[in-house]
Amino acid sequence: MALIPQLLESIFQPLSLNDSSTSKFVNPRVDWKENEDAHVFKIDLPGLNKEEIKVEIEEGKVLQISGEIKGVDLNKEDQKKENETWRRVERPRGKFCRRFWLPENAKIDEVKASMENGVLTLTIPKQEIKKPEVKTIEIN
């Protein structure tokens, strides 16, 4: 019976320190909800402060959130210390860039952003879109 846990550890242990397990690119989780007044985005960015995050709107319709999550890089000498052995590195690190096409009704010049407890909240108010006027033409 003791052989099975040992076998599993020998199979999965090398994977836990493999540098590819902590990707060079990160994909932060995003929630996007729409209510009657606004579009609200919540982005999980633990460990970052607002100066490390860039929020942009490109061409008036594409919301872009980017930055970099720094973490342990086992390839860098300054991360290695004497008498220290890394057993597992799971926290993500790397650059990220999330892009979203905004709907026509987004008021891009009134976007509000706030950061609290590692969650970036973006609130984009909505505007009423005027529907084109329909003119009925009488047939003779």
Side-chain angles (χ1 to χ4, degrees):
M1 284 293 202
L3 183 60
I4 293 174
Q6 201 172 25
L7 179 62
L8 289 174
E9 186 174 330
S10 69
I11 292 170
F12 293 108
Q13 185 65 24
L15 296 176
S16 67
L17 283 178
N18 184 345
D19 192 45
S20 66
S21 69
T22 54
S23 172
K24 300 292 183 205
F25 296 97
V26 181
N27 194 20
R29 301 292 179 231
V30 177
D31 292 337
W32 175 2
K33 72 176 176 181
E34 179 179 355
N35 59 37
E36 61 185 48
D37 300 321
H39 297 275
V40 180
F41 292 81
K42 291 196 179 274
I43 303 100
D44 286 341
L45 297 168
L48 293 184
N49 57 45
K50 63 183 182 180
E51 292 79 23
E52 298 172 301
I53 304 165
K54 191 174 186 180
V55 178
E56 301 171 300
I57 295 182
E58 298 176 347
E59 300 175 13
K61 57 189 158 210
V62 180
L63 172 65
Q64 178 172 295
I65 303 122
S66 59
E68 183 173 6
I69 298 174
K70 295 179 172 56
V72 176
D73 185 349
L74 299 175
N75 294 324
K76 289 188 177 179
E77 289 300 318
D78 63 340
Q79 297 281 325
K80 298 177 183 177
K81 294 182 182 171
E82 197 173 319
N83 300 323
E84 197 173 68
T85 302
W86 287 96
R87 296 292 183 185
R88 186 169 305 275
V89 177
E90 294 182 344
R91 294 183 299 156
R93 68 175 173 82
K95 295 182 180 186
F96 65 89
C97 181
R98 298 294 310 265
R99 297 169 58 100
F100 302 92
W101 285 92
L102 295 173
E104 278 185 65
N105 65 354
K107 286 185 180 180
I108 58 169
D109 51 342
E110 296 182 27
V111 177
K112 292 186 178 118
S114 63
M115 184 83 168
E116 186 177 344
N117 296 326
V119 178
L120 173 65
T121 301
L122 300 172
T123 304
I124 305 172
K126 290 169 45 176
Q127 61 189 351
E128 188 177 323
I129 302 294
K130 291 183 180 178
K131 295 179 182 175
E133 189 176 305
V134 177
K135 182 179 177 183
T136 306
I137 299 174
E138 186 179 321
I139 302 172
N140 293 330

